[in-house]
Every structure is written in C-alpha cells, then in structure tokens.
Amino acid sequence: MSKPVRVRFAPSPTGPLHMGGVRTALYNYLFAKKNNGTFVIRIEDTDQTRFVPGAQEYILDALSWCGIMPAEGPGIGGDYGPYIQSERKEIYRPYAELLIEHDKAYYAFDSADDLTAMRDQAKQMGMPNWQYNGVTRLSMKNSLTLSSDDVKNRIENGDPYTIRMKMPRNIDVRFNDEIRGWVVVNTNNLDDKVLFKSDGMPTYHLANVVDDHCMEISHVIRGEEWLPSAPLHVLLYEAFGWDCPKFAHLPLLLKPDGNGKLSKRDGDRLGFPVFPTNWKTSDGDVFPGYREQGYYSGAFINMLAFLGWNPGTTQELFSLDELVEAFTLDRVAKAGAKFDPDKTKWFQQQHLRKHDNKDLAKQLTESSDSTYSHESLETICGLMKERATFVQDILSDGAYLFQKPIEYDPKTIRKKWKDHAKDLMEEWNAVLKSIDTFNPSSIEASFKDFIEKKGVGLGAALPLFRLLVTGRGMGPSMFEIASFLGQDECAERILHGINSVQKLKKGE
Ligand code: GLU
C-alpha cells in the first residue's frame, strides 16, 4: 500500500509571499485534496538574520484569503507539531551529531575570516569559485584534520563551530522528479554545505530534510529555485537511512515581457501587483495586493493555477473545488510560465460575470457607502456587469444611471452630431414622451419606428440618444437604460443634453 499523501508548503518569513509562492502553496493544496491527503504549513525561520516581523502573519492571512487552508500548521496544530522551525530548535542537533557519528558530516572551526582568506587566496591563484569540498577540506580547520583531543577541547571551550556535510567525491546522485524526470548530478559539483550553524540553529537544508521526514511528508512540491538543493537533500536522506519523499520542482514564473524571472520590480514597472494582499513595510511603504485592488480570490487562484498547469481541455474557468478535481502533477509543465496581467484581468472579469445580480448588489452594498436601493443596484448590476472587471466598476462606469451626465463624449459628438441631430433628437423626445407603457421593448419599438419614418439608420441615431442620456459613446442596451431611468428623467436629459452638446459644438 502506498504511503498516505502528506505535502507541505514551507515558506520562510523573510518578507511577503510573492504570487509564485502562492502558486506553490496552491499546487500543494490541490494535490493533497485530490489525493485525500493532508496539506501542512511549516514556517522555516532558521535564518534569524533574514526574519521580517509580520511576514508570517502576512503569509497565513494571504493563504487564508485564497482559501488555501492547511489541515496542520501554526495556529492550527496537528500531530506533527510544532510547525515553526524555531520552536523545534532542540530537535535538530542530535540529527547533525548522528551524521558525524556515521562519518557523513564533521565539525568545522574555520572562522569567517579564515574562509574569506581562503577565497581571496584562491582568487589570486586564478580560481574564483573556491568551495569547501572533498579536496579543500583537508587544508581547513575541522574534525577531519585536527586531532580528536583538539576537537574535544575546542568544543568544551565553547569555540564556535559549524557542522558540514562530508560530500562524497565523484558520485552520481539521481532522483526522479515528478515533473522533470530523471535528474542526475555529480557530487564533484557540490560543496560541503553547512548543516548546523555556529548560532546553534540548523541551516535550511538540515531542518528541511529532518522535518520532512519527521512530518512524514510524501511529496515535496516546491519552486524550481530549490532544484539545485535537491541532490544534497537526497544524500541527506540516504545518510540518515530514510526513504526519500517524491520531488516535484515547479516551473518558474516569468516576466510578461522577456524571459527573466518575474520580480517585484516588474510589478512596479508594468503596474500590476505581485503580492496577493497589500504588504506594508516597517517604513510605511505599501506594496499593492490583488485583494485590495478588487480581485476575487477565486479569480486570482484560477489565474495562478494556469501558470504552469493546464487541464488538458479547453475549460479555463474553475472554482477551487473544480481545480482540485482536475489537478494532476503530470500536467504541470517544465518550462517557465509567462505571467500575463491582461489575462489576469480577464479571469477576474469572467469570475465577476458568474455572480448573479443579487449577489453583486450585495457586494456593492457591503463595500461602498452607496445609498441606492438594493433593487436599483440589482438592475444596475444586470446592465453593467458584462462590461465591468471589478465590482466597483459597476458603480463608477454606471454613474450616469444615478446622475445626469456632466460631460459628453467628444468623439461621439465629432463623429455623430451632424446638422440634423438637434431636430432629430427634439422630435424623438416628443415621441418618447408619448410612449404609453415605458419599458425596454416598447421604447425600442418606438425608436425603430421613429427612425425608419425619418429615414435615418440605427448606427447614426442610436449614438445620439445614448450621448444625450448617458454622456457616453458606448454602453449596455440603451432601451434598458432608458427604461431604468424612466420617461420623465429621459426626456429631461435629452433636452438638457441637446443644449449642452449644441454649446460644445459652437465652442469647437
Ligand atoms: N523555506 C523554503 C522557502 O522559503 C522552502 C523550500 C522547500 O519547500 O523545500 O521557499
């Protein structure tokens, strides 16, 4: 029987979560749910120098906005806790010592200055990439070169030391990545990584492997930037005599233009958020987030799901539950995925359209101080939603449904307001006022009948009617708008509009 699926998202609280991080969390979540597994969040904060206050809270809050809810994690608990590495500090040292006992690791006493001196010396000798490895370790200060008494004394004296991996020479490390297939790396390309630091904390590598083992993680699904670390992790599992989890390294997110990795700067440069929710720095700067810009989390994760995965069908719109149903790792691409801000807006538009008018009206009542009745809001949502991206657009784009226009679209005036326009619209106003039952179909029938009699085409006449009533050159059905506004309001707007447009024309 195969092991139960347990996956984890393991962010470091070194800043806010970039949308690439949200995608990693999302794929882990989808994979867990699809396979009746468990999704765990673990905070990897062993590098205290990079700790950013507020980042952990930010990450948990952003994931919760996205609906990516862990079954185990900080603040939730679970059988494998604690889920914050700094709270597991005591766990790691015995594992590092176990590796030393088995000759897979060693104590290193070289100071930062010693290491810098070695690097400088190597550089002068034409070797710019000096590494602590199977060759150079023999000329350094460590438990492989010092006598055991010396080592013992140094440790008892409280001399600072690190514990390093004793990277074997010339071995091909292989593992089968679920996305990339076989990955083979020769250990001659790997250095003796520090596993345990002089501050008494494990490094990312040791803590990550120990925790994945202790938390019985079955699949490690993470960003491609961790692929170079995977061979070391595989060797650590072997050194401990543990089974390796399966690995799946996700493709990079790329800039909308060019091929580089998507960065915060691209967001600033091209004007889109790279963070799920607003991030406030300690200096008071605010980096924009999708939530605060009015995106639905459902649209945001739908877009993210498609950055590196596709369902193999033409369906593009998915709810979170539908994504769970459709998701498989074998449909995740190897190649980097280009982020597309326009497509992101498109997803938002499509998700907005899925909400019924009642629901949209409710969102507007809750999110704005609009005093319009629920009934009018519902009608407006019906009229405007096909053209809106964000729910607030419905009110801003549809402002003319509540207020008389103050401006009139200059392009429509220029192109459509010909000499006959004034008389035509005055006559139409008289007809409009005489309509018995004022509803969209009767207004439409009267209008068409009127222009037919006048021998004017719809393309010439309808924009004039729209211009006078809404001030705009485009919009939803004019007959629906007129019906919503009512006969008197329409008539008044037409009259007022004719005067205003004539004045504008004269001023040209
Ligand atoms: N703490 C690492 C990060 O910040 C996690 C890498 C992994 O998932 O192994 O992304």
Side-chain angles (χ1 to χ4, degrees):
M1 217 181 77
S2 59
K3 278 198 338 188
V5 165
R6 289 180 54 82
V7 293
R8 83 315 188 257
F9 177 56
S12 298
T14 53
L17 196 57
H18 177 277
M19 64 172 127
V22 184
R23 188 202 54 179
T24 302
L26 174 66
Y27 284 13
N28 272 284
Y29 174 88
L30 298 177
F31 183 75
K33 291 276 163 195
K34 174 71 182 273
N35 295 290
N36 297 318
T38 306
F39 172 59
V40 179
I41 290 191
R42 181 175 73 225
I43 299 292
E44 300 204 324
D45 59 348
T46 56
D47 188 351
Q48 299 285 317
T49 59
R50 295 182 59 215
F51 180 80
V52 172
Q56 180 180 318
E57 294 71 19
Y58 175 93
I59 294 167
L60 298 176
D61 175 61
L63 292 179
S64 143
W65 175 63
C66 294
I68 305 175
M69 303 304 279
E72 296 171 25
I76 296 161
D79 293 342
Y80 298 80
Y83 293 92
I84 301 180
Q85 286 185 330
S86 56
E87 293 174 12
R88 302 170 64 79
K89 195 176 165 197
E90 307 313 321
I91 294 177
Y92 307 108
R93 186 191 293 269
Y95 283 108
E97 285 167 353
L98 195 69
L99 291 176
I100 297 180
E101 253 171 60
H102 289 95
D103 196 28
K104 306 287 186 190
Y106 58 90
Y107 295 109
F109 298 96
D110 320 272
S111 66
D113 287 347
D114 292 340
L115 293 172
T116 313
M118 271 324 270
R119 283 198 191 97
D120 288 348
Q121 204 183 329
K123 215 179 266 170
Q124 276 166 17
M125 290 163 69
M127 292 179 290
N129 302 318
W130 183 86
Q131 283 191 325
Y132 210 123
N133 61 23
V135 176
T136 59
R137 70 168 82 107
L138 297 174
S139 44
M140 303 301 288
K141 265 182 253 162
N142 54 49
S143 56
L144 304 170
T145 57
L146 302 171
S147 72
S148 51
D149 281 349
D150 194 355
V151 170
K152 208 167 147 241
N153 285 338
R154 282 169 184 262
I155 293 176
E156 279 171 8
N157 275 345
D159 285 7
Y161 65 82
T162 60
I163 297 176
R164 284 184 180 267
M165 175 79 176
K166 192 175 170 191
M167 186 57 71
R169 291 297 289 170
N170 203 19
I171 285 179
D172 281 339
V173 184
R174 304 166 178 273
F175 64 94
N176 196 357
D177 189 278
E178 300 287 298
I179 296 167
R180 275 143 224 281
W182 282 102
V183 176
V184 184
V185 176
N186 188 279
T187 53
N188 285 356
N189 298 314
L190 304 174
D191 63 341
D192 288 1
K193 276 272 175 311
V194 174
L195 301 176
F196 203 84
K197 296 178 287 181
S198 53
D199 65 0
M201 281 291 227
T203 57
Y204 152 72
H205 301 292
L206 180 70
N208 185 272
V209 165
V210 166
D211 284 350
D212 282 346
H213 172 73
C214 294
M215 295 182 178
E216 299 190 44
I217 296 302
S218 62
H219 294 72
V220 168
I221 304 172
R222 61 184 172 192
E224 184 179 315
E225 62 274 29
W226 300 103
L227 190 59
S229 301
L232 168 67
H233 297 179
V234 170
L235 285 171
L236 279 169
Y237 283 103
E238 277 176 24
F240 283 120
W242 298 335
D243 284 343
C244 236
K246 292 205 159 88
F247 288 104
H249 288 91
L250 306 175
L252 292 176
L253 295 195
L254 305 176
K255 305 177 184 306
D257 50 351
N259 286 322
K261 205 175 143 183
L262 180 71
S263 75
K264 192 160 70 61
R265 253 173 297 134
D266 298 315
D268 298 341
R269 188 170 57 87
L270 300 168
F272 58 81
V274 295
F275 299 122
T277 61
N278 273 6
W279 167 250
K280 290 186 200 72
T281 66
S282 50
D283 305 334
D285 291 337
V286 180
F287 291 95
Y290 283 88
R291 176 174 64 190
E292 290 76 5
Q293 294 225 333
Y295 282 85
Y296 293 132
S297 60
F300 178 60
I301 56 156
N302 192 167
M303 175 281 290
L304 280 182
F306 273 75
L307 286 178
W309 169 86
N310 71 73
T313 63
T314 51
Q315 185 181 347
E316 286 188 283
L317 299 179
F318 285 82
S319 66
L320 188 55
D321 287 344
E322 288 166 339
L323 285 171
V324 167
E325 228 11 77
F327 188 79
T328 54
L329 275 180
D330 61 8
R331 298 211 63 89
V332 176
K334 285 198 213 32
K338 227 183 229 313
F339 172 69
D340 181 347
D342 293 334
K343 188 79 190 195
T344 306
K345 283 210 171 121
W346 179 85
F347 274 111
Q348 166 61 24
Q349 247 162 13
Q350 301 303 315
H351 277 257
L352 183 106
R353 286 181 196 179
K354 284 183 160 194
H355 291 256
D356 63 25
N357 300 342
K358 220 186 177 83
D359 188 19
L360 290 171
K362 191 159 162 267
Q363 292 170 33
L364 282 174
T365 321
E366 282 164 6
S367 67
S368 68
D369 42 17
S370 92
T371 48
Y372 311 121
S373 75
H374 197 82
E375 210 188 339
S376 334
L377 282 176
E378 249 184 83
T379 313
I380 292 157
C381 290
L383 282 171
M384 302 304 297
K385 77 174 176 193
E386 292 297 312
R387 288 160 191 272
T389 302
F390 304 105
V391 70
Q392 295 300 339
D393 294 348
I394 294 178
L395 284 187
S396 51
D397 293 353
Y400 57 74
L401 294 167
F402 304 104
Q403 300 141 9
K404 295 189 186 354
I406 18 183
E407 282 172 359
Y408 295 86
D409 179 50
K411 197 168 144 203
T412 311
I413 299 179
R414 203 174 345 108
K415 289 202 165 157
K416 306 280 178 181
W417 196 266
K418 307 276 183 247
D419 291 342
H420 69 283
K422 178 176 180 284
D423 294 345
L424 187 73
M425 285 297 108
E426 274 171 359
E427 277 182 59
W428 161 236
N429 207 13
V431 175
L432 177 136
K433 283 196 223 166
S434 70
I435 297 175
D436 269 347
T437 328
F438 202 70
N439 62 34
S441 52
S442 63
I443 306 168
E444 180 169 0
S446 305
F447 189 76
K448 288 189 171 157
D449 181 53
F450 167 72
I451 58 171
E452 200 190 307
K453 283 191 187 130
K454 301 302 290 180
V456 187
L458 195 65
L462 193 60
L464 302 176
F465 181 26
R466 184 185 299 283
L467 180 73
L468 298 179
V469 175
T470 71
R472 305 284 179 101
M474 278 184 299
S477 159
M478 229 357 259
F479 308 114
E480 304 254 358
I481 294 174
S483 162
F484 172 78
L485 291 172
Q487 204 158 15
D488 292 346
E489 175 71 14
C490 272
E492 215 178 287
R493 285 189 184 201
I494 292 173
L495 210 62
H496 179 80
I498 293 173
N499 287 333
S500 308
V501 173
Q502 285 292 105
K503 264 190 216 143
L504 286 169
K505 261 302 218 207
K506 272 191 203 133
E508 259 179 9

